[in-house]
Each structure stands twice: as structure tokens, then as C-alpha cells.
């Protein structure tokens, strides 16, 4: 091989090696570019996510749906709705109880109405399904001291009439009893004849035995008035003219009769009254306020006690 050929081959080898080195350098630079581009995009994504989280924190709950794009019905979406509902409820409570400064400035103090529970706690014998007439009787009359002779006569009659029935049915017929027995005017009722009593029994659908009992009680009331001056003085004398205030916490602890009702019943039977057993008399005492048997947990216990102390 000549010298010229040898020099050509060596020059060709150098060219090939240089081209190879250039190719290698180019591939390395491309890799570096890829790494830099990937890191750059990662930095961009990170900054975007930081901006998104920052804007979400700044915006709070004003418009979270535009920042988070979970699919409707997903766990994240449901949880987000629950949190929003809890926050809304917290705001309502804060606004109602006046613990927020903004609510105090936005509302006029003269227009604030105190919160009153629409369903006060009553005695346990009343339930959510109790008749409104019975509830009104409990709230307005039961346990309130009565000193009017005509009202005492009426309550004594109703207490005897509810034997074998119930207070709700008896209270619903209250206007019937008032009409039948001349608004419980004892002197007028005592003058009723047998024929008139029979007419009352048929017209007002009251048992004849109970009609006769009311007429006989009216006669005895007249006799009591002659002795004591009034029915009120006679009946209230058994409790020294001061109502008995009990402190029962549970409904089943309230007795159906007491030693006091037994002593009153015994004296009334001796005087000729009818339908005045110990249980009836105790029911009458509760109705006429001679005893305050409202439970301690009942909202009517304290008012009736105050009526007792103010007598």
C-alpha cells in the first residue's frame, strides 16, 4: 500500500471518529434539554397548583366549584357539599344567638324577640297526640286555685261524671253540663223535679243516676252554705285555706287518692253528697287547685306555686 493510500485511510478514520463524537455530543445535549424541559414543566405545574391552592384559600367558600372539578356524585364532591352545609348551619346559629359582630350591627335591638320553645314541657300524662281541649285545660285551669262556688260545683260535677269515662270526653261535654244544670246555680238545680230531671237525661244524654246525683249535691251545697257561709269556705277549710304544693318528679308517683282526699270524702258522704269517693275527691282537688300536682318538670308547676304563695 502506497503512502498516499495510507494517509487517505487515516484521514477517513479521523473524519469518522469526529462525526461519531459529534453525534454523541448532540445526543447528550438533547437528553439534557429533555431533562431541563421536564423539570421546567414540573416547576410550572407546581407553581400553578400553588396558585390554585392559594386562590382557593383566599376565595374560601365563595366559589369552590370553579376551582375543583371533581365529577358530580364523587366522594370529594359529596364531602364538599356536606362541609358547605355545616358551615351554612353554623352561620345561621351564630346569627340567631347574636355571637357575631356583624349580626349585632345589622339588626335593631328593639326588634329582637326572645326565643321561646314552642313545645313547653308538660306533665307526663300529656302526649303529642293529646286532645287540644285536654291540653288547654292542663295549661289554663288544672292546679289553679278556685274560690267561686259555682265553679267549684261545676268541677265537683265533672270529676264525678268522668268516672267510667275520661277527662277529655267529659271536657268536651262541659258546655252540655252547663246548659243542662243552669250554669251550676245550686239554688236553681236543687228545685228540679223528677220530670225535669228525666227531660235533662234524655235531651242531653246524661245518665239518670248522675242527673239525680247532681240535683242531690246541689241540695247539700245549700245546706253547707247555711253552715259555713259558702261552699268555698267548707272545702278550703280542709287544707287550712292554703293549697297543697307537691313535688313529684315522675308521673307514676302522683297518687290517685291521699289521706286528705279520704278525710274530705268521708265528711262529704256523711253530709249526703253523692259521687264523692276518695279518688273523685282527689281529682276534684287537683282540678280546683286545692293541691298542685303538676310535676316539677312541668312548666306550670312554678306558676301554680306562686299563685299559692300570693293568696
Amino acid at each position: 500500500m502506497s503512502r498516499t493510500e495510507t494517509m487517505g485511510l487515516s484521514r477517513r478514520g479521523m473524519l469518522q471518529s469526529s462525526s461519531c463524537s459529534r453525534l454523541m455530543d448532540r445526543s447528550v445535549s438533547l437528553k439534557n434539554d429533555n431533562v431541563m424541559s421536564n423539570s421546567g414543566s414540573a416547576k410550572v405545574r407546581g407553581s400553578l397548583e400553588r396558585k390554585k391552592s392559594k386562590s382557593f384559600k383566599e376565595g374560601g367558600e365563595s366559589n369552590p366549584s370553579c376551582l375543583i372539578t371533581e365529577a358530580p356524585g364523587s366522594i370529594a364532591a359529596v364531602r364538599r357539599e356536606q362541609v358547605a352545609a355545616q358551615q351554612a348551619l353554623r352561620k345561621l346559629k351564630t346569627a340567631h344567638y347574636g355571637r357575631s359582630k356583624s349580626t349585632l350591627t345589622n339588626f335593631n335591638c328593639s326588634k329582637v324577640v326572645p326565643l321561646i320553645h314552642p313545645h313547653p314541657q308538660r306533665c307526663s300524662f300529656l302526649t303529642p297526640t293529646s286532645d287540644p281541649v285536654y291540653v288547654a285545660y292542663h295549661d289554663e285551669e288544672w292546679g289553679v286555685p278556685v274560690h267561686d262556688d259555682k265553679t267549684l260545683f261545676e268541677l265537683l260535677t265533672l270529676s264525678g261524671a268522668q268516672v267510667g269515662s275520661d277527662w277529655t270526653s267529659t271536657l268536651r261535654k262541659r258546655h252540655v253540663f252547663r246548659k243542662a244544670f243552669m250554669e251550676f246555680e245550686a239554688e236553681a238545680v236543687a228545685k228540679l223535679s223528677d220530670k225535669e230531671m228525666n227531660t235533662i237525661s234524655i235531651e242531653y244524654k246524661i245518665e239518670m243516676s248522675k242527673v239525680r246525683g247532681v240535683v242531690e249535691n246541689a241540695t247539700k251545697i245549700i245546706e253547707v252554705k247555711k253552715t259555713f257561709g259558702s261552699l268555698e269556705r267548707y272545702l278550703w277549710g280542709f287544707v287550712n285555706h292554703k293549697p297543697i304544693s307537691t313535688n313529684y318528679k315522675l308521673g307514676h308517683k302522683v297518687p290517685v287518692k291521699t289521706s286528705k282526699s279520704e278525710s274530705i270524702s268521708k265528711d262529704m258522704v256523711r253530709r249526703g253528697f253523692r259521687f264523692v269517693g276518695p279518688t273523685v275527691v282527689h281529682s276534684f282537688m287537683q282540678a280546683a287547685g286545692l293541691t298542685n300536682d303538676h310535676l316539677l318538670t312541668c312548666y306550670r308547676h312554678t306558676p301554680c306555686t306562686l299563685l299559692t304563695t300570693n293568696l
Side-chain angles (χ1 to χ4, degrees):
M1 183 179 294
S2 63
R3 184 177 180 181
T4 303
E5 292 175 350
T6 303
M7 292 177 64
L9 291 172
S10 61
R11 187 177 297 173
R12 189 180 301 169
M14 291 175 65
L15 291 172
Q16 290 177 352
S17 61
S18 62
S19 62
C20 289
S21 62
R22 282 197 300 272
L23 290 172
M24 292 179 64
D25 293 338
R26 187 174 180 180
S27 64
V28 170
S29 64
L30 288 173
K31 288 182 179 179
N32 292 333
D33 291 339
N34 290 332
V35 171
M36 292 179 65
S37 63
N38 291 333
S39 62
S41 61
K43 290 180 180 179
V44 171
R45 284 196 301 271
S47 63
L48 288 174
E49 289 177 356
R50 283 195 297 274
K51 289 181 179 179
K52 185 183 292 186
S53 63
K54 185 177 180 182
S55 63
F56 178 75
K57 291 179 180 179
E58 292 176 352
E61 55 185 1
S62 60
N63 192 13
S65 60
C66 65
L67 301 175
I68 303 176
T69 57
E70 288 92 347
S74 62
I75 297 176
V78 172
R79 178 57 183 163
R80 189 167 66 255
E81 291 177 359
Q82 291 176 349
V83 172
Q86 290 175 356
Q87 291 174 346
L89 181 61
R90 194 177 298 116
K91 284 186 176 181
L92 288 174
K93 288 183 178 180
T94 303
H96 176 76
Y97 289 105
R99 296 176 183 172
S100 174
K101 191 174 288 186
S102 60
T103 57
L104 294 177
T105 56
N106 292 335
F107 289 93
N108 187 1
C109 293
S110 62
K111 295 181 180 180
V112 176
V113 178
L115 180 64
I116 300 177
H117 200 285
H119 303 291
Q121 187 170 359
R122 297 181 171 90
C123 294
S124 59
F125 60 80
L126 289 173
T127 65
T129 58
S130 294
D131 193 287
V133 174
Y134 194 33
V135 176
Y137 169 73
H138 167 273
D139 293 350
E140 300 170 10
E141 296 186 61
W142 200 67
V144 176
V146 176
H147 297 277
D148 178 67
D149 279 2
K150 291 172 65 176
T151 307
L152 288 170
F153 184 21
E154 176 185 0
L155 293 176
L156 182 63
T157 302
L158 295 178
S159 298
Q162 58 96 22
V163 175
S165 180
D166 58 271
W167 262 111
T168 301
S169 302
T170 304
L171 290 171
R172 285 190 168 278
K173 294 181 63 177
R174 192 173 190 175
H175 66 285
V176 175
F177 280 93
R178 286 175 176 172
K179 190 174 181 181
F181 299 110
M182 285 78 77
E183 299 295 329
F184 292 97
E185 190 69 48
E187 288 74 14
V189 175
K191 295 178 181 179
L192 290 174
S193 62
D194 290 341
K195 184 178 180 179
E196 290 173 326
M197 285 189 283
N198 187 54
T199 302
I200 290 174
S201 177
I202 296 173
E203 183 177 352
Y204 297 102
K205 298 180 180 179
I206 302 174
E207 293 180 15
M208 189 61 185
S209 60
K210 291 184 178 180
V211 174
R212 287 188 180 276
V214 173
V215 173
E216 290 182 17
N217 285 346
T219 303
K220 302 308 174 183
I221 288 173
I222 294 174
E223 294 177 4
V224 166
K225 286 182 177 182
K226 291 179 181 179
T227 305
F228 295 90
S230 66
L231 179 63
E232 185 267 346
R233 286 186 182 179
Y234 166 68
L235 292 172
W236 281 91
F238 288 101
V239 293
N240 295 323
H241 303 279
K242 185 178 180 181
I244 300 170
S245 184
T246 58
N247 296 302
Y248 298 112
K249 296 181 180 180
L250 302 174
H252 67 272
K253 295 291 186 179
V254 180
V256 295
K257 63 179 179 178
T258 61
S259 58
K260 182 64 67 177
S261 69
E262 288 178 346
S263 62
I264 297 174
S265 172
K266 185 176 181 181
D267 188 81
M268 293 184 78
V269 169
R270 182 179 63 82
R271 293 180 183 274
F273 283 88
R274 295 187 58 184
F275 300 105
V276 288
T279 303
V280 172
V281 170
H282 185 67
S283 179
F284 164 74
M285 292 175 66
Q286 293 172 324
L290 275 77
T291 180
N292 176 17
D293 277 350
H294 284 285
L295 300 181
L296 287 174
T297 54
C298 177
Y299 85 104
R300 288 292 297 161
H301 182 273
T302 301
C304 290
T305 302
L306 292 176
L307 289 173
T308 300
T309 56
N310 292 333
L311 290 175

